[in-house]
Coordinates of all heavy atoms in Angstrom, one line a residue:
G51 N 96.0 101.2 99.4 CA 95.9 102.0 98.1 C 96.3 101.1 96.9 O 96.7 99.9 97.1
V52 N 96.3 101.7 95.7 CA 96.3 100.9 94.5 C 96.7 101.9 93.4 O 96.4 103.2 93.4 CB 94.9 100.1 94.1 CG1 93.9 101.4 93.9 CG2 95.1 99.4 92.9
I53 N 97.5 101.3 92.4 CA 97.8 102.0 91.2 C 97.5 101.1 90.0 O 97.6 99.8 90.0 CB 99.3 102.3 91.2 CG1 99.5 103.3 90.0 CG2 100.3 101.1 91.0 CD1 101.0 104.1 90.2
S54 N 96.8 101.7 89.0 CA 96.4 101.0 87.8 C 97.4 100.9 86.8 O 98.5 101.6 86.9 CB 95.1 101.8 87.4 OG 95.5 103.0 86.7
G55 N 97.1 100.1 85.8 CA 97.9 99.9 84.8 C 98.2 101.3 83.9 O 99.3 101.4 83.3
S56 N 97.4 102.2 83.9 CA 97.5 103.5 83.5 C 98.3 104.6 84.4 O 98.6 105.6 83.9 CB 96.1 104.2 83.0 OG 95.4 104.4 84.2
G57 N 98.5 104.1 85.6 CA 99.1 105.0 86.5 C 98.4 105.8 87.4 O 99.0 106.5 88.1
S58 N 97.0 105.7 87.4 CA 96.2 106.3 88.2 C 96.3 105.6 89.7 O 96.4 104.4 89.6 CB 94.8 106.3 87.7 OG 94.7 107.0 86.6
A59 N 96.2 106.4 90.7 CA 96.3 105.9 92.1 C 95.2 106.3 92.9 O 94.5 107.4 92.8 CB 97.7 106.4 92.8
W60 N 94.8 105.4 93.8 CA 93.6 105.6 94.8 C 94.1 105.2 96.1 O 95.0 104.4 96.3 CB 92.4 104.8 94.4 CG 91.8 105.2 93.1 CD1 90.7 106.0 93.0 CD2 92.0 104.7 92.0 NE1 90.3 106.1 91.7 CE2 91.1 105.2 91.0 CE3 93.0 103.9 91.3 CZ2 91.2 105.1 89.5 CZ3 93.0 103.6 89.9 CH2 92.1 104.3 89.2
Y61 N 93.7 105.9 97.1 CA 94.2 105.8 98.5 C 93.1 105.7 99.6 O 91.9 106.1 99.3 CB 95.1 106.9 98.9 CG 96.3 107.2 98.1 CD1 96.3 108.4 97.2 CD2 97.3 106.3 97.9 CE1 97.3 108.6 96.3 CE2 98.3 106.5 97.2 CZ 98.4 107.7 96.3 OH 99.5 108.0 95.4
S62 N 93.3 104.9 100.6 CA 92.3 104.8 101.6 C 92.3 106.2 102.3 O 93.3 106.9 102.5 CB 93.0 103.8 102.7 OG 92.2 103.9 103.9
P63 N 91.0 106.6 102.6 CA 90.8 108.0 103.1 C 91.7 108.1 104.4 O 92.0 109.3 104.8 CB 89.3 108.0 103.3 CG 88.7 107.1 102.4 CD 89.7 106.0 102.3
S64 N 91.8 107.0 105.2 CA 92.5 107.2 106.4 C 94.0 107.3 106.2 O 94.7 107.8 107.1 CB 92.2 106.0 107.3 OG 92.8 104.8 106.7
L65 N 94.4 107.2 105.1 CA 96.0 107.2 104.9 C 96.4 108.2 103.8 O 97.6 108.5 103.8 CB 96.5 105.9 104.5 CG 96.4 104.6 105.5 CD1 96.7 103.3 104.8 CD2 97.3 105.0 106.7
K66 N 95.5 108.8 103.1 CA 95.8 109.5 101.9 C 96.6 110.8 102.2 O 97.5 111.3 101.3 CB 94.4 109.9 101.1 CG 93.7 110.9 101.9 CD 92.4 111.4 101.1 CE 91.5 112.4 101.9 NZ 90.4 112.7 101.0
N67 N 96.6 111.3 103.4 CA 97.3 112.5 103.7 C 98.9 112.1 103.8 O 99.8 113.0 103.9 CB 96.9 113.1 105.0 CG 95.5 113.9 104.8 OD1 95.2 114.1 103.7 ND2 94.8 114.0 105.9
R68 N 99.2 110.9 104.0 CA 100.6 110.6 104.2 C 101.1 109.4 103.3 O 102.2 108.9 103.5 CB 101.0 110.3 105.7 CG 100.2 109.3 106.4 CD 100.4 109.3 107.8 NE 99.7 108.2 108.5 CZ 100.4 107.1 109.0 NH1 101.6 107.0 108.8 NH2 99.6 106.2 109.5
L69 N 100.3 109.0 102.4 CA 100.6 107.8 101.6 C 100.7 108.2 100.1 O 100.0 109.1 99.6 CB 99.5 106.8 101.6 CG 99.5 105.6 100.8 CD1 100.8 104.7 101.1 CD2 98.2 104.8 101.0
S70 N 101.7 107.6 99.5 CA 101.9 107.9 98.0 C 102.3 106.5 97.3 O 103.2 105.6 98.0 CB 103.0 108.9 97.8 OG 103.3 109.0 96.4
I71 N 101.8 106.1 96.2 CA 102.0 105.0 95.5 C 102.6 105.4 94.0 O 101.7 106.3 93.4 CB 100.8 104.0 95.4 CG1 100.5 103.5 96.8 CG2 101.2 102.8 94.5 CD1 99.3 102.7 96.8
S72 N 103.7 104.9 93.6 CA 104.1 105.3 92.3 C 104.6 104.0 91.6 O 104.6 102.9 92.2 CB 105.3 106.3 92.6 OG 106.3 105.9 93.3
R73 N 105.1 104.2 90.4 CA 105.6 103.1 89.8 C 106.9 103.5 88.9 O 107.0 104.5 88.6 CB 104.6 102.5 88.9 CG 104.1 103.3 87.8 CD 103.0 102.7 87.0 NE 102.7 103.5 85.7 CZ 102.0 103.1 84.8 NH1 101.5 101.9 84.7 NH2 101.7 103.9 83.6
D74 N 107.6 102.4 88.5 CA 108.7 102.5 87.6 C 108.4 101.4 86.5 O 108.8 100.4 86.8 CB 110.0 102.3 88.3 CG 111.2 102.6 87.4 OD1 111.1 102.4 86.2 OD2 112.3 102.8 87.7
T75 N 107.9 101.8 85.5 CA 107.6 101.0 84.4 C 108.8 100.3 83.7 O 108.6 99.1 83.3 CB 106.7 101.6 83.4 OG1 107.4 102.6 82.7 CG2 105.4 102.0 83.8
S76 N 109.9 100.9 83.8 CA 111.1 100.4 83.2 C 111.6 99.2 84.0 O 112.3 98.3 83.5 CB 112.2 101.4 83.0 OG 112.8 101.8 84.2
K77 N 111.3 99.2 85.3 CA 111.8 98.1 86.2 C 110.6 97.1 86.6 O 110.8 96.2 87.4 CB 112.4 98.7 87.4 CG 113.7 99.5 87.2 CD 114.4 100.2 88.4 CE 115.4 100.9 88.3 NZ 116.1 101.5 89.5
N78 N 109.4 97.5 86.2 CA 108.2 96.8 86.5 C 108.1 96.7 88.0 O 107.8 95.5 88.5 CB 108.2 95.3 85.9 CG 106.8 94.9 85.4 OD1 106.0 95.7 84.9 ND2 106.5 93.7 85.6
Q79 N 108.1 97.9 88.7 CA 108.0 98.0 90.2 C 107.0 99.0 90.4 O 106.7 100.0 89.8 CB 109.5 98.5 90.6 CG 110.6 97.4 90.4 CD 111.9 98.0 91.0 OE1 112.1 99.2 91.0 NE2 112.7 97.0 91.5
V80 N 106.4 98.7 91.6 CA 105.5 99.6 92.4 C 106.0 100.0 93.7 O 106.5 99.1 94.5 CB 104.1 98.9 92.5 CG1 103.1 99.9 93.2 CG2 103.6 98.6 91.0
T81 N 106.0 101.2 94.0 CA 106.6 101.8 95.2 C 105.5 102.4 96.1 O 104.7 103.1 95.7 CB 107.7 102.7 94.9 OG1 108.7 102.0 94.3 CG2 108.3 103.2 96.2
L82 N 105.6 102.1 97.4 CA 104.8 102.7 98.4 C 105.7 103.6 99.3 O 106.8 103.2 99.7 CB 104.1 101.6 99.3 CG 103.4 102.0 100.6 CD1 102.2 101.1 100.9 CD2 104.3 102.1 101.8
Q83 N 105.2 104.8 99.5 CA 105.8 105.6 100.6 C 104.7 106.1 101.7 O 103.7 106.7 101.3 CB 106.5 106.8 100.0 CG 107.7 106.3 99.2 CD 108.6 107.6 98.9 OE1 108.2 108.5 98.3 NE2 109.9 107.5 99.1
L84 N 105.0 105.9 102.9 CA 104.1 106.1 103.9 C 105.0 107.0 104.9 O 105.9 106.7 105.6 CB 103.7 104.8 104.7 CG 102.8 105.1 105.9 CD1 101.4 105.7 105.3 CD2 102.4 103.8 106.5

Side-chain angles (χ1 to χ4, degrees):
V52 62
I53 191 165
S54 71
S56 65
S58 297
W60 293 264
Y61 303 111
S62 168
S64 65
L65 295 172
K66 65 178 182 178
N67 289 336
R68 56 190 185 102
L69 177 62
S70 176
I71 297 176
S72 59
R73 66 180 187 167
D74 184 336
T75 57
S76 68
K77 297 180 180 179
N78 219 38
Q79 293 177 332
V80 177
T81 296
L82 170 150
Q83 288 194 311
L84 182 66

